[in-house]
Coordinates of all heavy atoms in Angstrom, one line a residue:
M24 N -26.7 23.7 -17.0 CA -27.1 22.7 -17.9 C -26.0 21.6 -17.9 O -24.9 21.8 -18.2 CB -27.3 23.3 -19.3 CG -27.9 22.2 -20.3 SD -28.6 23.2 -21.6 CE -27.6 22.7 -23.0
T25 N -26.5 20.3 -17.6 CA -25.6 19.3 -17.5 C -25.9 18.2 -18.6 O -27.0 18.1 -19.0 CB -25.6 18.6 -16.1 OG1 -26.9 17.9 -16.0 CG2 -25.3 19.4 -15.0
S26 N -24.8 17.7 -19.1 CA -25.1 16.6 -20.1 C -24.6 15.4 -19.6 O -23.6 15.2 -18.8 CB -24.1 16.9 -21.4 OG -22.8 16.8 -21.1
S27 N -25.4 14.3 -19.9 CA -25.2 13.0 -19.3 C -24.3 12.2 -20.2 O -24.3 12.4 -21.4 CB -26.5 12.2 -19.1 OG -27.2 12.0 -20.4
P28 N -23.4 11.4 -19.7 CA -22.5 10.6 -20.5 C -23.4 9.5 -21.3 O -24.5 9.3 -21.0 CB -21.6 9.9 -19.6 CG -22.1 10.1 -18.2 CD -23.1 11.2 -18.2
P29 N -22.8 9.0 -22.4 CA -23.6 8.1 -23.3 C -24.1 6.9 -22.6 O -25.0 6.4 -22.9 CB -22.5 7.7 -24.3 CG -21.5 8.7 -24.3 CD -21.5 9.3 -22.9
D30 N -23.4 6.5 -21.5 CA -23.8 5.3 -20.7 C -25.1 5.5 -20.0 O -25.9 4.6 -19.6 CB -22.8 4.8 -19.8 CG -21.5 4.4 -20.5 OD1 -21.6 4.0 -21.6 OD2 -20.5 4.5 -19.7
D31 N -25.5 6.8 -19.7 CA -26.7 7.1 -19.0 C -28.0 7.2 -19.8 O -28.9 7.3 -19.4 CB -26.5 8.4 -18.3 CG -25.6 8.2 -17.1 OD1 -25.2 7.1 -16.7 OD2 -25.2 9.3 -16.5
R32 N -27.8 7.0 -21.2 CA -28.9 7.1 -22.0 C -29.8 5.8 -21.8 O -29.4 4.8 -21.4 CB -28.5 7.0 -23.5 CG -27.8 8.3 -23.9 CD -27.4 8.3 -25.4 NE -27.0 9.5 -25.7 CZ -25.9 9.7 -26.5 NH1 -25.3 8.7 -27.0 NH2 -25.5 10.8 -26.8
G33 N -31.1 6.0 -22.1 CA -32.1 5.0 -22.0 C -31.9 4.0 -23.0 O -31.3 4.1 -24.0
L34 N -32.4 2.7 -22.6 CA -32.2 1.6 -23.7 C -32.9 2.0 -25.0 O -32.4 1.6 -26.1 CB -32.9 0.4 -23.0 CG -32.0 -0.2 -21.9 CD1 -32.7 -1.5 -21.5 CD2 -30.6 -0.7 -22.4
D35 N -34.1 2.6 -25.0 CA -34.8 3.0 -26.2 C -33.9 3.9 -27.0 O -33.8 3.7 -28.3 CB -36.0 3.8 -25.9 CG -37.1 2.9 -25.2 OD1 -36.8 1.5 -25.4 OD2 -38.1 3.3 -24.6
E36 N -33.3 5.0 -26.4 CA -32.4 5.9 -27.1 C -31.2 5.1 -27.7 O -30.8 5.4 -28.9 CB -32.0 7.0 -26.3 CG -31.2 8.1 -27.0 CD -30.7 9.3 -26.1 OE1 -31.2 9.2 -24.9 OE2 -30.1 10.1 -26.6
Q37 N -30.6 4.3 -27.0 CA -29.5 3.5 -27.4 C -29.9 2.6 -28.7 O -29.2 2.5 -29.7 CB -29.0 2.6 -26.3 CG -28.2 3.3 -25.3 CD -27.7 2.4 -24.2 OE1 -27.7 1.1 -24.4 NE2 -27.3 2.9 -23.0
A38 N -31.1 2.0 -28.5 CA -31.6 1.2 -29.6 C -31.8 2.0 -30.9 O -31.5 1.6 -32.1 CB -32.8 0.4 -29.3
V39 N -32.4 3.2 -30.7 CA -32.6 4.1 -31.9 C -31.3 4.4 -32.5 O -31.1 4.5 -33.8 CB -33.5 5.4 -31.5 CG1 -33.5 6.3 -32.6 CG2 -34.8 4.8 -31.1
L40 N -30.3 4.9 -31.7 CA -29.0 5.4 -32.2 C -28.3 4.1 -32.9 O -27.7 4.3 -34.0 CB -28.1 5.8 -31.1 CG -28.6 7.0 -30.5 CD1 -27.7 7.5 -29.3 CD2 -28.5 8.3 -31.5
L41 N -28.5 2.9 -32.4 CA -27.8 1.8 -33.0 C -28.5 1.5 -34.4 O -27.7 1.3 -35.4 CB -27.9 0.6 -32.1 CG -27.4 -0.7 -32.6 CD1 -25.9 -0.7 -32.8 CD2 -27.7 -1.9 -31.7
V42 N -29.8 1.5 -34.4 CA -30.5 1.3 -35.7 C -30.1 2.3 -36.7 O -29.9 2.1 -37.9 CB -31.9 1.1 -35.5 CG1 -32.7 1.2 -36.8 CG2 -32.2 -0.1 -34.7
A43 N -30.1 3.6 -36.3 CA -29.8 4.7 -37.2 C -28.4 4.5 -37.7 O -28.1 4.7 -39.0 CB -30.0 6.0 -36.5
G44 N -27.4 4.1 -36.8 CA -26.1 4.0 -37.2 C -26.0 2.8 -38.3 O -25.2 2.9 -39.4
L45 N -26.7 1.7 -38.0 CA -26.6 0.5 -39.0 C -27.3 1.0 -40.3 O -26.8 0.5 -41.4 CB -27.4 -0.6 -38.4 CG -26.7 -1.4 -37.2 CD1 -27.6 -2.4 -36.6 CD2 -25.4 -2.1 -37.7
A46 N -28.4 1.7 -40.3 CA -29.0 2.2 -41.5 C -28.0 3.1 -42.4 O -28.0 3.0 -43.6 CB -30.4 2.9 -41.2
D47 N -27.4 4.0 -41.6 CA -26.5 4.9 -42.4 C -25.4 4.0 -42.9 O -25.0 4.3 -44.1 CB -25.9 5.9 -41.4 CG -25.0 6.9 -42.1 OD1 -25.4 7.5 -43.1 OD2 -23.8 7.0 -41.7
L48 N -24.9 3.0 -42.3 CA -23.8 2.2 -42.8 C -24.3 1.4 -44.0 O -23.6 1.3 -45.1 CB -23.4 1.2 -41.7 CG -22.2 0.1 -42.1 CD1 -20.9 0.9 -42.5 CD2 -21.9 -0.7 -41.0
A49 N -25.6 0.9 -43.9 CA -26.1 0.1 -45.1 C -26.3 1.0 -46.3 O -26.0 0.6 -47.4 CB -27.4 -0.5 -44.7
V50 N -26.8 2.2 -46.0 CA -27.1 3.1 -47.2 C -25.6 3.5 -47.8 O -25.5 3.4 -49.1 CB -27.8 4.5 -46.8 CG1 -27.7 5.5 -47.8 CG2 -29.1 4.1 -46.4
S51 N -24.7 3.8 -47.1 CA -23.2 4.1 -47.7 C -22.7 2.8 -48.4 O -22.1 3.1 -49.5 CB -22.4 4.7 -46.7 OG -22.1 3.6 -45.7
T52 N -22.8 1.7 -47.9 CA -22.4 0.5 -48.5 C -23.1 0.2 -49.7 O -22.5 0.0 -50.8 CB -22.5 -0.7 -47.5 OG1 -21.8 -0.4 -46.4 CG2 -22.0 -2.0 -48.2
V53 N -24.4 0.4 -49.8 CA -25.1 0.1 -51.1 C -24.8 1.1 -52.0 O -24.6 0.8 -53.3 CB -26.6 0.2 -50.8 CG1 -27.5 0.1 -52.0 CG2 -27.1 -1.1 -49.9
G54 N -24.5 2.4 -51.6 CA -24.2 3.4 -52.6 C -22.8 3.1 -53.3 O -22.6 3.2 -54.4
S55 N -21.9 2.6 -52.5 CA -20.6 2.3 -53.0 C -20.8 1.1 -53.9 O -20.0 0.9 -54.9 CB -19.7 2.0 -51.8 OG -19.4 3.0 -51.0
A56 N -21.6 0.0 -53.5 CA -21.7 -1.1 -54.4 C -22.3 -0.6 -55.8 O -22.0 -1.2 -56.8 CB -22.6 -2.1 -53.7
V57 N -23.4 0.2 -55.8 CA -24.1 0.6 -57.0 C -23.0 1.3 -57.9 O -23.0 1.1 -59.1 CB -25.2 1.6 -56.7 CG1 -25.7 2.2 -57.9 CG2 -26.4 0.8 -56.0
E58 N -22.1 2.2 -57.3 CA -21.1 2.8 -58.1 C -20.2 1.8 -58.7 O -19.8 2.0 -59.9 CB -20.4 3.9 -57.3 CG -19.4 4.7 -58.0 CD -20.0 5.5 -59.2 OE1 -21.1 5.8 -59.1 OE2 -19.2 5.6 -60.2
A59 N -19.8 0.8 -57.9 CA -18.9 -0.3 -58.4 C -19.5 -1.1 -59.6 O -18.8 -1.3 -60.6 CB -18.4 -1.2 -57.3
V60 N -20.8 -1.3 -59.5 CA -21.5 -2.0 -60.6 C -21.6 -1.1 -61.8 O -21.4 -1.6 -62.8 CB -22.9 -2.4 -60.1 CG1 -23.7 -2.9 -61.3 CG2 -22.8 -3.5 -59.0
R61 N -21.8 0.2 -61.6 CA -21.9 1.0 -62.7 C -20.6 1.1 -63.5 O -20.4 1.1 -64.7 CB -22.2 2.5 -62.3 CG -23.6 2.9 -62.0 CD -23.9 4.2 -61.8 NE -25.1 4.4 -61.3 CZ -25.5 5.4 -60.3 NH1 -24.7 6.3 -60.0 NH2 -26.7 5.5 -60.0
Q62 N -19.4 1.1 -62.8 CA -18.2 1.1 -63.4 C -17.8 -0.3 -64.0 O -17.3 -0.2 -65.1 CB -17.1 1.3 -62.4 CG -17.0 2.7 -61.7 CD -16.0 3.1 -60.7 OE1 -15.4 2.1 -60.3 NE2 -16.0 4.2 -60.1
L63 N -18.2 -1.3 -63.5 CA -18.1 -2.6 -64.2 C -18.9 -2.7 -65.4 O -18.4 -3.3 -66.4 CB -18.4 -3.8 -63.2 CG -17.6 -4.1 -62.0 CD1 -18.1 -5.0 -61.2 CD2 -16.2 -4.5 -62.6
L64 N -20.1 -2.1 -65.4 CA -20.9 -2.3 -66.6 C -20.4 -1.5 -67.8 O -20.7 -1.7 -68.9 CB -22.3 -1.8 -66.4 CG -23.3 -2.7 -65.4 CD1 -24.5 -2.1 -65.1 CD2 -23.3 -4.1 -66.0
R65 N -19.6 -0.4 -67.5 CA -18.9 0.4 -68.5 C -17.7 -0.5 -69.2 O -17.2 -0.1 -70.3 CB -18.5 1.7 -67.9 CG -19.5 2.6 -67.6 CD -19.0 4.0 -67.2 NE -20.0 4.7 -66.5 CZ -20.0 5.2 -65.2 NH1 -18.9 5.1 -64.5 NH2 -21.0 5.8 -64.7
R66 N -17.2 -1.4 -68.6 CA -16.1 -2.1 -69.1 C -16.6 -3.1 -70.2 O -17.7 -3.6 -70.3 CB -15.5 -3.1 -68.0 CG -14.9 -2.2 -66.9 CD -14.3 -3.1 -65.8 NE -13.3 -4.0 -66.4 CZ -12.2 -4.4 -65.7 NH1 -12.0 -4.0 -64.4 NH2 -11.4 -5.2 -66.3
S67 N -15.6 -3.3 -71.3 CA -16.0 -4.2 -72.4 C -15.9 -5.6 -72.0 O -16.5 -6.5 -72.7 CB -14.9 -3.9 -73.5 OG -13.6 -4.2 -73.1
D68 N -15.3 -6.1 -71.0 CA -15.2 -7.4 -70.6 C -16.1 -7.7 -69.5 O -15.9 -8.7 -68.8 CB -13.7 -7.8 -70.1 CG -13.2 -6.9 -69.0 OD1 -13.8 -6.0 -68.7 OD2 -12.3 -7.4 -68.4
G69 N -17.3 -7.1 -69.5 CA -18.3 -7.2 -68.5 C -18.9 -8.6 -68.4 O -19.0 -9.2 -67.3
P70 N -19.2 -9.3 -69.6 CA -19.8 -10.7 -69.5 C -18.8 -11.6 -68.9 O -19.0 -12.5 -68.1 CB -20.0 -11.1 -70.9 CG -20.3 -9.7 -71.6 CD -19.4 -8.8 -70.9
D71 N -17.4 -11.4 -69.2 CA -16.4 -12.3 -68.6 C -16.2 -12.2 -67.0 O -16.2 -13.0 -66.3 CB -15.1 -12.1 -69.2 CG -14.9 -12.5 -70.6 OD1 -15.7 -13.4 -71.1 OD2 -14.2 -12.0 -71.4
L72 N -16.3 -10.8 -66.7 CA -16.3 -10.5 -65.2 C -17.5 -11.2 -64.5 O -17.4 -11.6 -63.4 CB -16.2 -9.0 -65.0 CG -14.9 -8.3 -65.3 CD1 -15.2 -6.8 -65.2 CD2 -13.8 -8.8 -64.3
A73 N -18.7 -11.1 -65.2 CA -19.8 -11.6 -64.5 C -19.7 -13.1 -64.4 O -20.1 -13.7 -63.3 CB -21.2 -11.3 -65.3
R74 N -19.3 -13.8 -65.4 CA -19.1 -15.2 -65.3 C -18.1 -15.6 -64.2 O -18.3 -16.5 -63.4 CB -18.6 -15.7 -66.7 CG -18.9 -17.2 -67.1 CD -18.7 -17.6 -68.4 NE -17.8 -16.7 -69.4 CZ -18.2 -15.8 -70.2 NH1 -19.6 -15.6 -70.4 NH2 -17.4 -15.1 -70.9
D75 N -17.0 -14.9 -64.1 CA -15.9 -15.2 -63.2 C -16.6 -14.9 -61.7 O -16.2 -15.6 -60.8 CB -14.8 -14.2 -63.3 CG -13.9 -14.6 -64.5 OD1 -14.1 -15.7 -65.1 OD2 -13.1 -13.8 -65.0
A76 N -17.4 -13.8 -61.5 CA -17.9 -13.4 -60.3 C -18.9 -14.6 -59.9 O -19.0 -14.9 -58.8 CB -18.6 -12.2 -60.4
Q77 N -19.6 -15.1 -60.8 CA -20.6 -16.1 -60.5 C -19.8 -17.4 -60.0 O -20.2 -18.0 -59.0 CB -21.5 -16.6 -61.7 CG -22.5 -17.6 -61.5 CD -23.3 -17.9 -62.8 OE1 -23.0 -17.6 -63.7 NE2 -24.2 -18.8 -62.5
R78 N -18.8 -17.7 -60.7 CA -18.0 -19.0 -60.3 C -17.4 -18.7 -58.9 O -17.4 -19.5 -58.1 CB -16.9 -19.1 -61.4 CG -17.3 -19.9 -62.6 CD -16.1 -20.3 -63.3 NE -16.5 -20.2 -64.6 CZ -15.9 -19.4 -65.6 NH1 -14.8 -18.7 -65.3 NH2 -16.2 -19.4 -66.8
D79 N -16.9 -17.5 -58.6 CA -16.5 -17.2 -57.4 C -17.4 -17.2 -56.2 O -17.1 -17.9 -55.2 CB -15.8 -15.8 -57.3 CG -14.5 -15.8 -58.1 OD1 -13.8 -16.8 -58.5 OD2 -14.0 -14.6 -58.4
L80 N -18.6 -16.7 -56.5 CA -19.6 -16.7 -55.5 C -20.0 -18.2 -55.2 O -20.3 -18.5 -54.1 CB -20.8 -15.8 -56.0 CG -20.6 -14.4 -55.8 CD1 -21.8 -13.6 -56.4 CD2 -20.3 -14.0 -54.3
M81 N -20.2 -19.0 -56.3 CA -20.6 -20.4 -56.1 C -19.5 -21.1 -55.3 O -19.9 -21.9 -54.4 CB -20.8 -21.0 -57.5 CG -22.1 -20.6 -58.2 SD -22.3 -21.1 -59.7 CE -22.6 -22.9 -59.4
A82 N -18.3 -20.8 -55.5 CA -17.2 -21.5 -54.8 C -17.3 -21.1 -53.4 O -17.1 -22.0 -52.5 CB -15.9 -21.2 -55.4
R83 N -17.5 -19.8 -53.1 CA -17.6 -19.3 -51.8 C -18.8 -19.9 -51.0 O -18.7 -20.3 -49.8 CB -17.6 -17.7 -51.7 CG -16.4 -17.0 -52.1 CD -16.8 -15.4 -52.0 NE -16.9 -15.1 -50.7 CZ -16.1 -14.6 -49.9 NH1 -14.9 -14.5 -50.2 NH2 -16.4 -14.1 -48.7
G84 N -19.9 -20.1 -51.6 CA -21.1 -20.7 -51.1 C -20.8 -22.2 -50.8 O -21.2 -22.6 -49.7
R85 N -20.1 -22.9 -51.7 CA -19.8 -24.3 -51.4 C -18.9 -24.4 -50.2 O -19.1 -25.2 -49.4 CB -19.1 -24.8 -52.6 CG -18.9 -26.3 -52.6 CD -18.4 -26.9 -53.9 NE -19.2 -26.4 -55.2 CZ -18.8 -25.7 -56.1 NH1 -17.4 -25.4 -56.0 NH2 -19.4 -25.2 -57.1
I86 N -18.0 -23.5 -50.0 CA -17.1 -23.5 -48.9 C -17.8 -23.2 -47.7 O -17.6 -23.8 -46.5 CB -15.9 -22.6 -49.1 CG1 -14.9 -23.1 -50.2 CG2 -15.2 -22.3 -47.8 CD1 -13.9 -22.1 -50.6
A87 N -18.7 -22.2 -47.6 CA -19.4 -21.7 -46.5 C -20.4 -23.0 -46.1 O -20.5 -23.2 -44.9 CB -20.3 -20.6 -46.8
L88 N -21.0 -23.5 -46.9 CA -21.9 -24.7 -46.6 C -21.2 -25.8 -46.1 O -21.6 -26.5 -45.0 CB -22.7 -25.2 -47.9 CG -23.8 -24.3 -48.3 CD1 -24.5 -24.8 -49.5 CD2 -24.8 -23.9 -47.2
D89 N -20.0 -26.1 -46.6 CA -19.1 -27.3 -46.1 C -18.7 -26.9 -44.6 O -18.6 -27.8 -43.9 CB -17.9 -27.5 -47.0 CG -18.4 -28.2 -48.3 OD1 -19.4 -28.6 -48.4 OD2 -17.5 -28.1 -49.3
R90 N -18.3 -25.7 -44.4 CA -17.8 -25.3 -43.2 C -18.8 -25.5 -42.1 O -18.6 -25.9 -41.0 CB -17.3 -23.8 -43.2 CG -16.7 -23.3 -41.9 CD -16.2 -21.9 -42.1 NE -16.5 -21.4 -43.4 CZ -16.6 -20.2 -43.8 NH1 -16.6 -19.3 -42.9 NH2 -16.9 -19.8 -45.0
H91 N -20.1 -25.0 -42.4 CA -21.1 -25.1 -41.4 C -21.8 -26.4 -41.3 O -22.2 -26.8 -40.2 CB -22.2 -24.1 -41.7 CG -21.7 -22.7 -41.6 ND1 -21.4 -22.1 -40.4 CD2 -21.5 -21.7 -42.5 CE1 -21.0 -20.9 -40.4 NE2 -21.0 -20.7 -41.8
A92 N -21.7 -27.3 -42.3 CA -22.3 -28.5 -42.2 C -21.4 -29.5 -41.5 O -21.9 -30.5 -41.0 CB -22.5 -29.2 -43.8
A93 N -20.1 -29.3 -41.4 CA -19.3 -30.1 -40.7 C -19.4 -30.1 -39.3 O -19.1 -31.0 -38.6 CB -17.8 -29.9 -41.2
A94 N -19.7 -29.0 -38.7 CA -19.9 -28.7 -37.3 C -21.4 -29.2 -36.9 O -22.3 -28.8 -37.5 CB -19.6 -27.4 -36.8
P95 N -21.4 -29.9 -35.8 CA -22.7 -30.3 -35.3 C -23.5 -29.0 -34.7 O -22.7 -28.1 -34.3 CB -22.4 -31.3 -34.2 CG -21.0 -31.1 -33.8 CD -20.3 -30.6 -34.9
A96 N -24.8 -29.0 -34.7 CA -25.5 -28.0 -34.1 C -25.1 -27.7 -32.6 O -25.0 -28.7 -31.9 CB -27.0 -28.2 -34.3
H97 N -25.0 -26.6 -32.3 CA -24.7 -26.1 -30.9 C -25.6 -26.6 -29.8 O -25.2 -27.3 -28.9 CB -24.5 -24.6 -30.9 CG -24.2 -24.1 -29.5 ND1 -23.0 -24.3 -28.9 CD2 -25.0 -23.4 -28.6 CE1 -23.0 -23.7 -27.7 NE2 -24.0 -23.2 -27.5
L98 N -26.9 -26.5 -30.1 CA -27.9 -27.0 -29.1 C -27.9 -28.4 -29.1 O -28.1 -29.1 -27.9 CB -29.2 -26.5 -29.5 CG -29.5 -25.0 -29.3 CD1 -30.9 -24.6 -29.7 CD2 -29.3 -24.5 -27.8
E99 N -27.6 -29.2 -30.2 CA -27.5 -30.7 -30.2 C -26.4 -31.1 -29.3 O -26.5 -32.1 -28.5 CB -27.3 -31.2 -31.6 CG -27.3 -32.7 -31.6 CD -27.2 -33.1 -33.0 OE1 -27.5 -32.4 -34.0 OE2 -26.7 -34.3 -33.2
V100 N -25.2 -30.4 -29.4 CA -24.1 -30.8 -28.4 C -24.4 -30.6 -27.2 O -24.1 -31.3 -26.2 CB -22.8 -29.9 -29.0 CG1 -21.7 -30.0 -28.0 CG2 -22.4 -30.3 -30.4
L101 N -25.0 -29.4 -26.8 CA -25.4 -29.1 -25.4 C -26.4 -30.2 -24.8 O -26.2 -30.6 -23.7 CB -26.1 -27.7 -25.3 CG -25.1 -26.5 -25.5 CD1 -26.0 -25.3 -25.4 CD2 -24.0 -26.5 -24.3
A102 N -27.3 -30.6 -25.6 CA -28.2 -31.6 -25.1 C -27.6 -33.0 -24.8 O -27.8 -33.8 -24.0 CB -29.4 -31.8 -26.2
Q103 N -26.5 -33.2 -25.8 CA -25.8 -34.6 -25.6 C -25.0 -34.5 -24.3 O -25.0 -35.5 -23.6 CB -24.8 -34.8 -26.8 CG -25.7 -35.2 -28.1 CD -24.8 -35.2 -29.4 OE1 -23.6 -34.9 -29.2 NE2 -25.3 -35.7 -30.3
H104 N -24.4 -33.4 -24.0 CA -23.7 -33.2 -22.8 C -24.5 -33.3 -21.6 O -24.1 -33.9 -20.6 CB -22.9 -31.8 -22.7 CG -21.6 -31.7 -23.7 ND1 -20.5 -32.5 -23.3 CD2 -21.5 -31.1 -24.8 CE1 -19.6 -32.2 -24.4 NE2 -20.2 -31.4 -25.3
A105 N -25.7 -32.6 -21.6 CA -26.7 -32.7 -20.6 C -27.1 -34.2 -20.3 O -27.2 -34.7 -19.2 CB -27.9 -31.8 -20.9
K106 N -27.4 -34.9 -21.3 CA -27.8 -36.3 -21.3 C -26.7 -37.1 -20.6 O -27.0 -38.0 -19.8 CB -28.2 -36.8 -22.6 CG -28.7 -38.2 -22.6 CD -29.2 -38.6 -24.0 CE -29.8 -40.0 -24.0 NZ -30.2 -40.5 -25.4
A107 N -25.5 -36.9 -21.1 CA -24.3 -37.6 -20.5 C -24.2 -37.4 -19.1 O -23.9 -38.3 -18.3 CB -23.1 -37.4 -21.3
R108 N -24.3 -36.2 -18.6 CA -24.1 -35.8 -17.2 C -25.3 -36.4 -16.4 O -25.0 -37.0 -15.3 CB -24.2 -34.2 -17.0 CG -22.8 -33.6 -17.2 CD -22.9 -32.1 -16.8 NE -23.9 -31.4 -17.3 CZ -23.8 -30.6 -18.4 NH1 -22.6 -30.4 -18.9 NH2 -24.9 -29.9 -18.9
K109 N -26.5 -36.4 -16.9 CA -27.5 -37.0 -16.2 C -27.4 -38.4 -16.0 O -27.7 -39.0 -14.9 CB -28.9 -36.7 -17.0 CG -30.1 -37.0 -16.2 CD -31.3 -36.7 -17.0 CE -32.7 -36.9 -16.2 NZ -33.8 -36.7 -17.0
K110 N -26.9 -39.1 -17.1 CA -26.7 -40.5 -17.1 C -25.6 -40.8 -16.0 O -25.7 -41.8 -15.2 CB -26.4 -41.1 -18.4 CG -26.3 -42.6 -18.5 CD -26.0 -43.0 -20.0 CE -26.1 -44.6 -20.1 NZ -25.9 -44.9 -21.5
A111 N -24.5 -40.0 -16.0 CA -23.3 -40.3 -15.1 C -23.8 -40.1 -13.7 O -23.2 -40.7 -12.7 CB -22.2 -39.4 -15.5
S112 N -24.7 -39.2 -13.3 CA -25.1 -39.0 -12.1 C -26.2 -39.9 -11.6 O -26.7 -39.7 -10.5 CB -25.6 -37.4 -11.9 OG -26.9 -37.3 -12.5
G113 N -26.5 -40.8 -12.4 CA -27.4 -41.8 -12.0 C -28.9 -41.5 -12.3 O -29.8 -42.3 -11.9
G114 N -29.1 -40.5 -13.2 CA -30.5 -40.2 -13.7 C -30.9 -41.3 -14.6 O -30.2 -42.1 -15.1
D115 N -32.2 -41.2 -15.1 CA -32.7 -42.1 -16.1 C -32.5 -41.6 -17.4 O -33.5 -40.9 -18.0 CB -34.3 -42.6 -15.7 CG -35.1 -41.4 -15.7 OD1 -34.6 -40.3 -16.1 OD2 -36.2 -41.5 -15.2
G116 N -31.5 -41.7 -18.0 CA -31.1 -41.4 -19.4 C -31.9 -40.8 -20.3 O -32.0 -40.2 -21.3

């Protein structure tokens, strides 16, 4: 009886294993998050923590939007480069 190395598995089996691993990771992460929320709800300064968390999340969201809005879209940049090359090679812009 021979066993095949992991690289010899079919793509279907690899996909199933990948999805199962991601699902297991998600379940364990959600479980940890639920436990953390339970512990936070037991604290007496819960409303203050919630207010601070909301402010922090809004600040992170603002930063994330600013970071992504500042950079031009990848496909737009590629299209501009292609247009410039075509124009430089004598094509009709």
Side-chain angles (χ1 to χ4, degrees):
M24 185 161 119
T25 62
S26 67
S27 60
D30 296 335
D31 288 347
R32 292 186 172 134
L34 290 178
D35 291 343
E36 185 178 354
Q37 289 179 12
V39 168
L40 291 174
L41 180 63
V42 170
L45 287 172
D47 184 57
L48 178 63
V50 168
S51 66
T52 301
V53 168
S55 297
V57 168
E58 183 58 32
V60 169
R61 282 186 192 151
Q62 290 176 0
L63 286 175
L64 290 175
R65 291 186 194 126
R66 294 178 59 151
S67 62
D68 59 347
D71 293 334
L72 286 173
R74 205 170 17 260
D75 291 344
Q77 180 183 7
R78 277 192 220 116
D79 289 347
L80 286 174
M81 289 176 63
R83 287 178 68 97
R85 196 173 303 118
I86 291 169
L88 288 176
D89 289 347
R90 181 177 2 151
H91 292 291
H97 178 67
L98 291 177
E99 183 179 339
V100 171
L101 289 176
Q103 290 172 355
H104 285 288
K106 186 175 178 181
R108 276 194 306 262
K109 187 174 182 180
K110 190 173 183 180
S112 68
D115 57 14

